[in-house]
Amino acid sequence: MSTHLLQIQEPSSARVPRREDEAPAIGIDLGTTNSVVAVSTDGKPEVLCDEDGEALLPSVVAYAADGSAIVGAAARMLVLDNPECVIGSIKRLMGRGANDVKRLAGALPFEAGDDTGMVRLNVAGHRLTPVQISGDILKALKARAENHLGHGVERAVITVPAHFDDAARQATKDAARLAGLLVLRLINEPTAAALAYGLDKGVEGLYAVYDFGGGTFDISILRMEKGVFQVLATGGDSALGGDDFDHEVAQRFLDERSREHDLGAASPSDVKVVLMTARQAKECLTSAENGEWELDMNGTRSVHQMDRSAFEDLIAPYVERAAVICEDVMVDAGVTAEQIQGVILVGGSTRVPLVRRRVAEIFGREPLSDIDPDEVVAVGAALQAETLTAGSGTLLLDVTALSLGIETMGGLVEKIVSRNTPIPVAKAQEFTTYQDGQTGMSILVVQGEREMADQCRSLARFELAGIPPMTAGAARILVTFAVDADGLLTVKATEDTTGIEAHVRVKPSYGLTDDEMTEMLYDSMKHAEEDMTRRLLAEARVEAGRAVKAVESALAVDRTLLDEAEAAEIERVKADVQKVIQAEDRDAINTAVEDLDRATQSFAERRMDRSIGDALKGVDVDRLEDVAAETFHR
């Protein structure tokens, strides 16, 4: 324990103090399916909601032809109407390429370019990177915080999966820069959850954090004692999550459709629609025993039924993959299930009954769920943000999730920093030359647990030149790996006799170049007002389209409640809205929607009266109050 403490700098001793006139730092859980922002003041965290009281911001972005972005529920609603302009689950692509993403019916849920390195997606005529898309999600969370606090927000603690590699972590920091946020710390999601649970509930002892999110799975074993949160071991899979459940259900639905209809290959737009339907089925079967869902694509309608038992059969292999990782991490931590005092659930996928049952079987106890599993990570991030700016007695001792090393002769990997090493940490190892007169050394930095370099993730390559010509084995080159509190790596190589050195701040192959980042940041500042105007216009258009569809649906069902003149007037006002939607005047769109609301107010009242009347037909007077309450509740 003491050696670990020597390697860690207490956050309060290295804090970035907050000016009295400065907004507090925020905590952000940037999730695959949903994202959350929170803030903590005087040790009391608060999850920030939108104007409708919703804490979860769907991690979905819709792009217009002019480049403006809509983030959240409004974007998700556009999947059915304009799937080609909507992108979701982007977290799975952070630091990765298109080949890392699972296909459905032979197609990806997006159109990807053939770029090397970071994948670029073709969305509404724009070529966008996962970093840019994640940046737009972070901008929306930042705006929510600023609306709540009443002034600007510049600093944040952002959570990442414990098993995120260096490339994905750097991509997350790049996205924050694009959103105008200084990242005080990247904190592992299970550690953030433990921090929230430990400080809020005051628990101490040995705990497991089981984090099954939309795109990633992590399990961490922590010891919590008197404000010290020490991660003993962590493990996971950055390609295992609730999205896999969605894919299995979606594939079942597509297979059923293909047996009924010859529809040919699925397009990216089709994949988005069926995945959204599959997600709805998953969420429904979490609380219901069975259900029925409809797919209407390309003019062909199909109806699909599924019960919970069939759903659990589909997802069982993924739940078992997580179970195996849990067993391995307990071995790494040197603990047994009996020694663990509680299991903290994190992530929306932990709501699935099969997942909870399996967790109880693994650890021999029912898991804890006192704090909302969708919000607990953001709460922990907010508490850590307050610690880093205001100071506290809390100390986090996190670990590296994957081993770090270099390639040696024969393509072998020499591990310098082993997985589950407490961070921040610096470790060094001596190497030498392979042949006589060798004056340079090419150093390949890799990450992973395999023994061969080509089986691990390549992070960076750099050269150490100017080594004095000596006989093979005579030179002494000290290679030092330094991992900071964010889990990001710097490597330095020094030749002993001359003191020459070379170093590299690992910039993963999937990261944006400095020039690209500079250009994007410049553009965002240059066009900030213009971009906000476009966003507000896009939101107004979405709201207007929603209002028109609602009126059309109501007319289709209850047009008989109107006389010809009233129906004609509503049709006229509706046509005005449809016409002005295409204009560039947001105020005109909002005014037209207000006119439509007024024109349909009487119609809406008559529909309500009819609904109540139908519900009360034949009802005993003694039950009138109950039935009326049920009707209004619906």
Side-chain angles (χ1 to χ4, degrees):
M1 180 74 172
S2 61
T3 56
H4 293 173
L5 290 172
L6 288 173
Q7 294 171 344
I8 300 292
Q9 185 174 37
E10 187 170 1
S12 58
S13 67
R15 64 189 179 95
V16 182
R18 178 165 66 92
R19 301 190 311 268
E20 290 185 3
D21 62 341
E22 188 176 35
I26 57 176
I28 292 177
D29 174 13
L30 181 61
T32 305
T33 307
N34 296 294
S35 295
V36 185
V37 60
V39 67
S40 179
T41 306
D42 297 328
K44 297 177 181 178
E46 178 187 3
V47 175
L48 306 183
C49 300
D50 63 13
E51 58 273 13
D52 297 322
E54 293 293 333
L56 302 185
L57 176 77
S59 300
V60 181
V61 189
Y63 290 92
D66 61 7
S68 57
I70 299 174
V71 181
R76 189 166 58 187
M77 290 180 62
L78 290 172
V79 169
L80 294 176
D81 297 325
N82 299 292
E84 67 283 350
C85 76
V86 181
I87 192 74
S89 293
I90 198 62
K91 184 175 178 178
R92 275 203 158 181
L93 280 175
M94 292 294 274
R96 296 184 174 273
N99 292 334
D100 296 312
V101 183
K102 180 181 292 187
R103 294 174 180 266
L104 179 64
L108 292 168
F110 48 74
E111 293 182 7
D114 56 358
D115 310 84
T116 58
M118 175 178 278
V119 64
R120 294 176 187 267
L121 312 182
N122 300 322
V123 187
H126 306 280
R127 296 177 71 249
L128 303 170
T129 68
V131 168
Q132 291 169 280
I133 297 167
S134 295
D136 284 326
I137 297 172
L138 289 171
K139 285 178 185 177
L141 294 169
K142 179 174 182 280
R144 176 181 294 189
E146 290 175 337
N147 289 337
H148 176 86
L149 297 169
H151 42 70
V153 170
E154 298 177 352
R155 302 181 295 177
V157 168
I158 300 178
T159 63
V160 293
H163 231 63
F164 250 20
D165 61 18
D166 202 90
R169 289 171 188 267
Q170 186 61 57
T172 303
K173 293 195 79 169
D174 287 346
R177 287 177 61 195
L178 289 180
L181 288 170
L182 169 66
V183 178
L184 297 176
R185 180 73 53 83
L186 293 179
I187 180 173
N188 289 342
E189 290 164 3
T191 308
L195 181 64
Y197 203 89
L199 294 182
D200 187 62
K201 301 296 181 181
V203 298
E204 291 192 352
L206 200 61
Y207 281 79
V209 181
Y210 182 99
D211 183 355
F212 211 142
T216 59
F217 171 73
D218 286 312
I219 175 71
S220 294
I221 310 294
L222 302 96
R223 178 171 284 115
M224 300 187 282
E225 293 178 354
K226 298 179 181 179
V228 177
F229 296 77
Q230 180 189 8
V231 181
L232 301 181
T234 191
D237 189 334
S238 57
L240 171 63
D243 280 4
D244 295 299
F245 298 174
D246 301 342
H247 273 80
E248 291 297 329
V249 175
Q251 190 64 62
R252 169 72 64 88
F253 288 174
L254 286 176
D255 290 344
E256 290 173 351
R257 277 175 66 88
S258 65
R259 287 196 291 269
E260 297 176 18
H261 313 281
D262 182 15
L263 300 175
S267 68
S269 295
D270 293 338
V271 170
K272 289 178 185 176
V273 172
V274 73
L275 280 174
M276 186 179 76
T277 305
R279 179 168 296 165
Q280 293 171 346
K282 173 187 68 178
E283 293 172 353
C284 174
L285 293 173
T286 294
S287 56
E289 291 296 328
N290 53 65
E292 181 177 284
W293 298 271
E294 178 181 312
L295 284 174
D296 190 353
M297 300 184 300
N298 303 319
T300 303
R301 177 178 173 274
S302 59
V303 177
H304 307 270
Q305 297 176 339
M306 183 177 290
D307 59 27
R308 184 182 291 174
S309 176
F311 171 65
E312 291 184 347
D313 288 343
L314 289 177
I315 68 172
Y318 301 102
V319 178
E320 285 309 305
R321 272 172 59 185
V324 170
I325 296 171
C326 290
E327 299 286 354
D328 291 343
V329 169
M330 281 191 282
V331 172
D332 290 342
V335 303
T336 64
E338 291 74 19
Q339 292 174 290
I340 293 173
Q341 295 169 244
V343 184
I344 302 168
L345 295 182
V346 181
S349 297
T350 61
R351 298 183 187 277
V352 175
L354 176 61
V355 172
R356 294 202 174 195
R357 293 201 308 271
R358 193 68 183 96
V359 171
E361 292 170 359
I362 296 167
F363 295 98
R365 67 185 67 245
E366 289 297 321
L368 303 167
S369 55
D370 302 37
I371 302 179
D372 189 322
D374 289 314
E375 299 179 4
V376 64
V377 169
V379 167
L383 288 166
Q384 179 66 358
E386 185 180 18
T387 291
L388 293 174
T389 53
S392 80
T394 302
L395 179 63
L396 294 183
L397 306 176
D398 221 327
V399 298
T400 58
L402 298 167
S403 297
L404 295 159
I406 66 171
E407 180 185 26
T408 58
M409 290 305 300
L412 297 173
V413 174
E414 180 66 23
K415 294 183 175 67
I416 296 178
V417 179
S418 300
R419 65 191 175 97
N420 289 323
T421 296
I423 58 173
V425 64
K427 286 196 173 185
Q429 192 164 327
E430 273 197 343
F431 295 87
T432 189
T433 50
Y434 175 71
Q435 60 189 28
D436 292 343
Q438 184 175 338
T439 59
M441 180 180 287
S442 177
I443 298 174
L444 174 65
V445 182
V446 297
Q447 186 171 34
E449 307 309 317
R450 305 290 291 276
E451 297 303 320
M452 304 300 294
D454 60 3
Q455 297 171 329
C456 294
R457 182 70 176 272
S458 174
L459 295 181
R461 184 186 293 275
F462 66 105
E463 306 287 334
L464 177 66
I467 300 173
M470 308 179 195
T471 58
R476 291 290 179 266
I477 293 94
L478 187 70
V479 178
T480 304
F481 276 43
V483 183
D484 65 16
D486 294 329
L488 297 175
L489 172 67
T490 301
V491 182
K492 180 174 70 174
T494 306
E495 199 280 316
D496 184 52
T497 59
T498 63
I500 64 165
E501 68 175 42
H503 61 89
V504 59
R505 169 87 178 189
V506 173
K507 190 73 173 178
S509 58
Y510 290 128
L512 294 172
T513 66
D514 289 337
D515 287 344
E516 285 178 307
M517 284 295 297
T518 300
E519 183 180 353
M520 289 176 184
L521 287 168
Y522 174 74
D523 285 343
S524 68
M525 290 184 289
K526 179 181 177 182
H527 302 293
E529 184 175 351
E530 176 186 343
D531 290 345
M532 180 55 69
T533 300
R534 286 180 173 180
R535 173 177 172 171
L536 292 173
L537 175 61
E539 289 176 345
R541 285 172 170 167
V542 169
E543 186 59 37
R546 187 186 308 169
V548 167
K549 287 190 175 181
V551 170
E552 289 175 343
S553 297
L555 289 173
V557 175
D558 288 325
R559 194 183 190 95
T560 55
L561 295 176
L562 302 168
D563 60 33
E564 290 186 9
E566 290 171 326
E569 175 62 14
I570 289 176
E571 291 286 1
R572 183 191 67 77
V573 179
K574 180 168 69 72
D576 289 343
V577 175
Q578 291 173 310
K579 181 179 179 181
V580 79
I581 282 177
Q582 307 306 319
E584 300 294 322
D585 189 338
R586 178 170 64 94
D587 291 337
I589 295 174
N590 290 336
T591 299
V593 171
E594 291 171 1
D595 291 343
L596 184 59
D597 286 341
R598 284 192 291 270
T600 57
Q601 184 174 352
S602 176
F603 181 34
E605 292 170 353
R606 293 179 207 175
R607 295 188 75 216
M608 176 62 77
D609 290 343
R610 170 181 279 187
S611 176
I612 294 173
D614 290 344
L616 297 181
K617 281 181 182 177
V619 177
D620 188 274
V621 174
D622 294 335
R623 291 196 61 245
L624 275 177
E625 186 174 340
D626 292 339
V627 173
E630 292 172 3
T631 302
F632 279 112
H633 179 69
R634 284 200 301 266

XYZ file of all heavy atoms in Angstrom, residues 572-621:
389
model
N -55.216 24.756 -43.892
C -54.534 25.951 -44.406
C -53.352 26.330 -43.508
O -52.236 26.586 -43.999
C -55.516 27.125 -44.497
C -54.893 28.391 -45.092
C -55.803 29.606 -44.915
N -55.950 29.991 -43.517
C -55.013 30.653 -42.826
N -53.873 31.008 -43.412
N -55.217 30.971 -41.561
N -53.585 26.342 -42.192
C -52.516 26.725 -41.265
C -51.405 25.677 -41.291
O -50.219 26.012 -41.230
C -53.078 26.893 -39.837
C -51.963 27.264 -38.868
C -54.164 27.962 -39.823
N -51.794 24.416 -41.400
C -50.798 23.343 -41.478
C -49.937 23.505 -42.728
O -48.707 23.329 -42.682
C -51.501 21.979 -41.493
C -50.544 20.788 -41.582
C -51.269 19.490 -41.311
C -52.236 19.146 -42.415
N -51.536 18.704 -43.653
N -50.571 23.868 -43.841
C -49.822 24.082 -45.086
C -48.856 25.251 -44.943
O -47.737 25.224 -45.487
C -50.789 24.329 -46.239
N -49.265 26.292 -44.191
C -48.369 27.424 -43.950
C -47.115 26.969 -43.200
O -46.001 27.424 -43.496
C -49.088 28.509 -43.144
C -50.148 29.244 -43.959
O -50.104 29.133 -45.204
O -51.011 29.907 -43.350
N -47.306 26.085 -42.211
C -46.159 25.577 -41.458
C -45.237 24.788 -42.383
O -44.011 24.958 -42.364
C -46.626 24.696 -40.279
C -45.418 24.072 -39.572
C -47.453 25.509 -39.295
N -45.835 23.911 -43.193
C -45.029 23.090 -44.104
C -44.249 23.951 -45.084
O -43.106 23.628 -45.449
C -45.940 22.118 -44.860
C -46.527 21.028 -43.966
C -47.556 20.194 -44.683
O -48.484 20.727 -45.313
N -47.412 18.868 -44.607
N -44.835 25.057 -45.485
C -44.168 25.950 -46.435
C -43.012 26.690 -45.776
O -41.911 26.792 -46.333
C -45.185 26.947 -46.995
C -44.592 27.920 -48.012
C -45.679 28.859 -48.541
C -45.104 29.856 -49.540
N -46.155 30.787 -50.042
N -43.247 27.194 -44.558
C -42.236 28.029 -43.902
C -41.091 27.198 -43.336
O -40.007 27.723 -43.056
C -42.895 28.883 -42.791
C -43.136 28.069 -41.528
C -42.074 30.125 -42.494
N -41.302 25.881 -43.166
C -40.228 25.008 -42.671
C -38.999 25.099 -43.571
O -37.857 25.014 -43.107
C -40.712 23.541 -42.576
C -41.572 23.349 -41.324
C -39.536 22.563 -42.521
C -42.144 21.965 -41.174
N -39.218 25.279 -44.854
C -38.109 25.314 -45.807
C -37.388 26.654 -45.814
O -36.327 26.783 -46.419
C -38.641 25.018 -47.226
C -39.452 23.734 -47.324
C -38.693 22.533 -46.796
O -37.496 22.403 -47.044
N -39.378 21.648 -46.079
N -37.966 27.637 -45.125
C -37.353 28.969 -45.113
C -36.198 29.009 -44.115
O -35.951 28.065 -43.377
C -38.404 30.016 -44.768
N -35.483 30.114 -44.095
C -34.335 30.284 -43.212
C -34.665 31.165 -42.012
O -33.765 31.575 -41.282
C -33.176 30.930 -43.997
C -32.698 30.122 -45.187
C -32.046 28.806 -44.758
O -31.330 28.800 -43.735
O -32.264 27.795 -45.440
N -35.960 31.439 -41.807
C -36.380 32.359 -40.743
C -36.931 31.556 -39.563
O -38.055 31.053 -39.594
C -37.451 33.315 -41.285
C -37.782 34.435 -40.305
O -37.530 34.263 -39.101
O -38.317 35.470 -40.752
N -36.136 31.428 -38.494
C -36.564 30.641 -37.329
C -37.780 31.264 -36.659
O -38.694 30.555 -36.228
C -35.405 30.531 -36.327
C -35.761 29.768 -35.062
C -34.524 29.493 -34.238
N -33.908 30.711 -33.746
C -34.154 31.253 -32.544
N -35.019 30.667 -31.735
N -33.551 32.350 -32.150
N -37.804 32.595 -36.558
C -38.942 33.253 -35.919
C -40.228 32.979 -36.688
O -41.301 32.777 -36.081
C -38.697 34.759 -35.835
C -37.585 35.102 -34.844
O -37.334 34.272 -33.945
O -36.970 36.178 -34.984
N -40.136 32.972 -38.013
C -41.321 32.692 -38.827
C -41.810 31.266 -38.602
O -43.024 31.016 -38.544
C -41.008 32.920 -40.307
N -40.885 30.340 -38.471
C -41.267 28.946 -38.213
C -41.966 28.826 -36.863
O -43.030 28.205 -36.743
C -40.026 28.035 -38.257
C -39.430 28.022 -39.669
C -40.379 26.616 -37.814
C -38.115 27.270 -39.777
N -41.376 29.442 -35.836
C -41.975 29.374 -34.496
C -43.354 30.029 -34.472
O -44.280 29.523 -33.825
C -41.057 30.048 -33.478
C -39.783 29.261 -33.234
O -39.755 28.052 -33.441
N -38.730 29.937 -32.804
N -43.494 31.139 -35.188
C -44.792 31.818 -35.246
C -45.830 30.946 -35.926
O -46.986 30.844 -35.476
C -44.658 33.152 -36.003
O -43.736 33.994 -35.297
C -46.008 33.852 -36.111
N -45.431 30.280 -37.014
C -46.363 29.411 -37.731
C -46.798 28.237 -36.856
O -47.969 27.823 -36.887
C -45.704 28.908 -39.021
N -45.882 27.698 -36.068
C -46.228 26.586 -35.167
C -47.204 27.057 -34.098
O -48.153 26.352 -33.736
C -44.951 25.999 -34.515
C -45.314 25.000 -33.423
C -44.093 25.317 -35.571
N -46.977 28.282 -33.571
C -47.913 28.841 -32.584
C -49.298 29.035 -33.204
O -50.328 28.776 -32.557
C -47.369 30.166 -32.068
C -46.119 30.016 -31.195
C -45.468 31.347 -30.868
O -46.024 32.391 -31.318
O -44.425 31.365 -30.191
N -49.354 29.484 -34.457
C -50.639 29.631 -35.148
C -51.340 28.284 -35.274
O -52.569 28.191 -35.104
C -50.430 30.236 -36.539
C -49.981 31.696 -36.484
O -50.148 32.320 -35.424
O -49.445 32.191 -37.506
N -50.566 27.250 -35.562
C -51.140 25.913 -35.692
C -51.678 25.428 -34.344
O -52.752 24.799 -34.277
C -50.088 24.940 -36.225
C -50.564 23.504 -36.505
C -51.697 23.490 -37.534
C -49.403 22.647 -36.995
N -50.958 25.715 -33.284
C -51.427 25.333 -31.944
C -52.768 25.997 -31.631
O -53.692 25.345 -31.101
C -50.395 25.742 -30.882
C -49.173 24.848 -30.895
O -49.268 23.729 -31.439
O -48.126 25.263 -30.364
N -52.874 27.283 -31.942
C -54.130 27.993 -31.671
C -55.262 27.453 -32.536
O -56.387 27.285 -32.069
C -53.945 29.496 -31.922
C -53.177 30.211 -30.800
C -53.278 31.721 -30.960
N -52.540 32.176 -32.131
C -51.265 32.531 -32.110
N -50.584 32.477 -30.978
N -50.665 32.945 -33.204
N -54.950 27.175 -33.804
C -55.981 26.701 -34.725
C -56.518 25.330 -34.341
O -57.668 24.995 -34.661
C -55.426 26.663 -36.152
N -55.722 24.553 -33.674
C -56.132 23.180 -33.328
C -56.548 23.034 -31.873
O -56.857 21.927 -31.428
C -54.977 22.194 -33.608
O -53.814 22.600 -32.883
C -54.657 22.132 -35.093
N -56.558 24.142 -31.114
C -56.870 24.039 -29.685
C -58.275 23.478 -29.453
O -58.475 22.565 -28.641
C -56.734 25.405 -29.023
C -56.959 25.357 -27.518
C -56.679 26.688 -26.843
O -56.176 27.617 -27.471
N -57.003 26.793 -25.572
N -59.263 24.009 -30.157
C -60.638 23.534 -29.994
C -60.757 22.070 -30.422
O -61.450 21.274 -29.786
C -61.586 24.413 -30.818
O -62.907 23.907 -30.754
N -60.058 21.716 -31.497
C -60.058 20.333 -31.988
C -59.494 19.394 -30.916
O -60.047 18.321 -30.640
C -59.221 20.269 -33.269
C -59.153 18.916 -33.909
C -60.226 18.035 -33.864
C -58.006 18.515 -34.582
C -60.156 16.782 -34.472
C -57.919 17.278 -35.178
C -58.995 16.408 -35.120
N -58.423 19.807 -30.269
C -57.804 18.984 -29.220
C -58.752 18.801 -28.043
O -58.845 17.706 -27.460
C -56.499 19.629 -28.762
N -59.497 19.871 -27.690
C -60.453 19.774 -26.585
C -61.570 18.801 -26.920
O -62.007 18.013 -26.072
C -61.004 21.153 -26.270
C -59.953 22.098 -25.663
C -60.444 23.533 -25.584
O -61.543 23.800 -26.134
O -59.740 24.378 -25.006
N -62.053 18.837 -28.161
C -63.125 17.912 -28.561
C -62.630 16.464 -28.554
O -63.355 15.553 -28.168
C -63.626 18.283 -29.968
C -64.343 19.607 -30.038
C -64.785 19.914 -31.466
N -64.873 21.345 -31.691
C -65.145 21.895 -32.875
N -65.351 21.110 -33.918
N -65.199 23.201 -33.002
N -61.387 16.266 -28.963
C -60.835 14.913 -28.942
C -60.741 14.391 -27.510
O -61.011 13.219 -27.226
C -59.450 14.892 -29.589
C -59.437 15.229 -31.063
C -58.072 14.987 -31.661
N -57.824 13.569 -31.835
C -56.648 12.977 -31.665
N -55.610 13.696 -31.277
N -56.514 11.684 -31.855
N -60.366 15.258 -26.591
C -60.296 14.871 -25.183
C -61.688 14.529 -24.655
O -61.882 13.534 -23.951
C -59.671 15.993 -24.357
C -59.631 15.721 -22.860
S -58.647 14.267 -22.418
C -57.009 14.978 -22.596
N -62.676 15.369 -25.023
C -64.044 15.101 -24.570
C -64.523 13.754 -25.087
O -65.171 12.985 -24.359
C -64.984 16.214 -25.048
C -64.723 17.543 -24.334
O -64.071 17.506 -23.274
O -65.144 18.596 -24.849
N -64.245 13.470 -26.354
C -64.669 12.185 -26.917
C -63.973 11.030 -26.196
O -64.603 10.014 -25.882
C -64.357 12.117 -28.405
C -64.559 10.711 -28.987
C -64.230 10.620 -30.453
N -65.333 11.115 -31.262
C -65.370 11.019 -32.591
N -64.373 10.450 -33.241
N -66.392 11.492 -33.263
N -62.696 11.180 -25.928
C -61.944 10.120 -25.266
C -62.528 9.824 -23.886
O -62.707 8.660 -23.504
C -60.476 10.522 -25.136
O -59.739 9.557 -24.426
N -62.849 10.900 -23.146
C -63.424 10.712 -21.809
C -64.807 10.085 -21.924
O -65.165 9.173 -21.164
C -63.492 12.055 -21.059
C -62.072 12.566 -20.787
C -64.264 11.912 -19.757
C -62.040 13.962 -20.202
N -65.587 10.562 -22.909
C -66.928 9.997 -23.087
C -66.894 8.522 -23.408
O -67.677 7.735 -22.857
N -65.969 8.121 -24.301
C -65.859 6.694 -24.641
C -65.467 5.868 -23.425
O -65.939 4.751 -23.223
C -64.821 6.503 -25.746
C -65.297 7.063 -27.078
O -66.515 7.306 -27.216
O -64.443 7.269 -27.969
N -64.586 6.436 -22.613
C -64.110 5.695 -21.441
C -65.198 5.528 -20.393
O -65.212 4.551 -19.639
C -62.906 6.409 -20.832
N -66.152 6.497 -20.341
C -67.168 6.469 -19.283
C -68.449 5.758 -19.682
O -69.330 5.578 -18.843
C -67.502 7.906 -18.856
C -66.351 8.714 -18.229
C -66.831 10.095 -17.836
C -65.797 7.991 -17.015
N -68.553 5.337 -20.940
C -69.772 4.654 -21.377
C -69.988 3.378 -20.584
O -69.088 2.534 -20.491
C -69.674 4.316 -22.859
C -69.953 5.501 -23.769
C -69.875 5.098 -25.230
C -70.113 6.303 -26.134
N -69.981 5.935 -27.570
N -71.167 3.262 -20.006
C -71.513 2.036 -19.293
C -70.839 1.875 -17.957
O -70.890 0.801 -17.342
N -70.177 2.915 -17.450
C -69.467 2.814 -16.180
C -70.391 3.179 -15.034
O -71.134 4.164 -15.095
C -68.236 3.743 -16.182
C -67.538 3.703 -14.822
C -67.270 3.334 -17.280
N -70.351 2.400 -13.977
C -71.140 2.656 -12.777
C -70.733 4.001 -12.178
O -69.553 4.362 -12.156
C -70.901 1.538 -11.753
C -71.858 1.670 -10.579
O -71.517 2.418 -9.648
O -72.928 1.023 -10.612
N -71.704 4.740 -11.662
C -71.438 6.056 -11.102
C -70.390 5.995 -10.004
O -69.543 6.888 -9.860
C -72.739 6.682 -10.549
C -72.447 8.005 -9.837
C -73.737 6.895 -11.656
